Amino acid sequence: MSKGIVLSVSASALFAVMYYYTSLLSPLTGVEIFGWRMLLTMPCMTVFMLVAKEWNLVTALGRRLIAAPRLLIGAIASSALLGAQLWLFMWAPLNGYSLDVSLGYFLLPLSMVLTGRLVYGERLSYLQKIAVFFASLGVVNELYQVGGFSWATLLVVVGYPLYFILRKRLGTDNLGGLWLDMTLMLPLALWFVQSGEQGFAVFDQYPWLSLLIPLLGVISASALVAYIIASRLLPFSLFGLLSYVEPVLLLGVALLLGESIQASEWLTYIPIWMAVAVLVFEGFKHLMRQRRRN
């Protein structure tokens, strides 16, 4: 379990490092950085799946696609939903949307709880209802102050649940499905890199990027592998608790990049943080009950 905790926290830290790392890759745009990330991460992910003997998930999915070609339409939609999130993660720090994205990640656990209730009929626990109440206060304040959340926040809050619902219905909610989603992004990622101002000649004009861009791939692949291994080593409840580390770190990166929380926004953030604290407390209680049973 200790190894799983270290890997989970390391994955969150690496994702936060990657969030900040984009600011070092000037003159690349967020779209170009997204393209490079995909091109460099996919080979590493493929190697990991081969070494971990998970490649059978890809071959099984390939057989399903041959037997039911219409599945490819759903797979393309799934890839587009994930691609939008990965693009936003690379684009937001360079365009003043870091805080909006971090707020989206704070709201995401609440969004997932409500998705479970509305889509799958799951019952909300007493503490989950309290968390939803606190989060609602933050939402109401944001609606009152500015009329709604930014599109970047909504993309995270709405996009990820839609992605997980679609993967579940397609039966691709495993590593093979993730590999397919990312593989389908490669043509677009290649086009993003080629259509950039420098394209693949960027290394000729900016030699230092020949080190920084490959390092981006190493960070991305390391974070992904650490996250996957941690999910297997840890109890689900503890793994869920540790997922709250990432939005905290993303908020820190946003502040480090020069963004700030306005006075009127504290009434949005504080209730949402309280909601997250309630969910963390519930997860901790569940974990303690499990340990006593064992």
Side-chain angles (χ1 to χ4, degrees):
M1 185 179 294
S2 59
K3 182 179 178 181
I5 292 172
V6 170
L7 285 171
S8 178
V9 173
S10 297
S12 294
L14 286 169
F15 282 127
V17 167
M18 186 164 52
Y19 205 49
Y20 177 78
Y21 195 79
T22 56
S23 64
L24 306 178
L25 297 177
S26 177
L28 296 182
T29 65
V31 168
E32 290 175 281
I33 295 170
F34 162 75
W36 279 111
R37 179 188 176 186
M38 290 299 98
L39 293 179
L40 295 169
T41 301
M42 274 307 300
C44 298
M45 185 177 178
T46 301
V47 170
F48 170 75
M49 292 187 68
L50 289 170
V51 172
K53 298 181 180 178
E54 302 277 5
W55 194 250
N56 61 304
L57 296 172
V58 175
T59 55
L61 188 53
R63 287 193 293 269
R64 286 184 58 203
L65 285 169
I66 293 172
R70 285 185 299 179
L71 180 62
L72 182 60
I73 298 174
I76 292 172
S78 175
S79 179
L81 284 170
L82 178 61
Q85 300 296 338
L86 299 182
W87 162 79
L88 179 63
F89 196 85
M90 296 286 92
W91 179 87
L94 299 178
N95 293 274
Y97 282 87
S98 299
L99 273 178
D100 298 290
V101 171
S102 69
L103 180 59
Y105 278 93
F106 274 116
L107 281 168
L108 184 56
L110 280 302
S111 176
M112 295 297 288
V113 166
L114 291 177
T115 299
R117 178 71 182 93
L118 297 174
V119 178
Y120 301 110
E122 298 174 356
R123 286 179 172 270
L124 297 184
S125 68
Y126 176 71
L127 287 175
Q128 286 174 340
K129 290 178 181 178
I130 293 176
V132 170
F133 169 74
F134 280 131
S136 298
L137 294 179
V139 170
V140 168
N141 180 70
E142 193 70 7
L143 291 174
Y144 173 74
Q145 294 291 342
V146 296
F149 289 100
S150 79
W151 64 268
T153 300
L154 291 175
L155 182 57
V156 175
V157 173
V158 177
Y160 265 122
L162 288 176
Y163 172 66
F164 291 129
I165 291 169
L166 181 57
R167 287 190 73 194
K168 195 174 184 67
R169 292 190 176 176
L170 292 174
T172 59
D173 49 342
N174 54 46
L175 270 180
L178 178 61
W179 183 91
L180 178 62
D181 286 341
M182 296 182 73
T183 298
L184 290 174
M185 294 179 209
L186 289 180
L188 187 61
L190 182 62
W191 183 76
F192 281 157
V193 172
Q194 284 184 322
S195 61
E197 187 175 338
Q198 292 83 26
F200 284 98
V202 67
F203 302 119
D204 297 330
Q205 293 181 264
Y206 306 96
W208 65 87
L209 290 179
S210 61
L211 173 62
L212 295 182
I213 289 178
L215 188 55
L216 171 69
V218 172
I219 296 171
S220 177
S222 299
L224 184 62
V225 169
Y227 184 81
I228 292 170
I229 296 176
S231 69
R232 296 174 176 177
L233 294 176
L234 294 172
F236 185 78
S237 55
L238 179 56
F239 181 67
L241 283 178
L242 290 171
S243 68
Y244 295 114
V245 173
E246 184 176 341
V248 173
L249 296 176
L250 294 185
L251 174 63
V253 171
L255 298 176
L256 188 64
L257 290 174
E259 296 189 39
S260 60
I261 299 175
Q262 305 301 317
S264 61
E265 294 177 320
W266 283 108
L267 289 177
T268 297
Y269 278 89
I270 291 176
I272 290 171
W273 291 341
M274 291 173 68
V276 169
V278 170
L279 291 181
V280 169
F281 177 67
E282 182 189 47
F284 182 75
K285 282 182 62 178
H286 180 65
L287 181 63
M288 290 299 100
R289 282 197 299 268
Q290 281 187 328
R291 292 191 65 178
R292 282 196 294 267
R293 288 172 188 165
N294 296 335

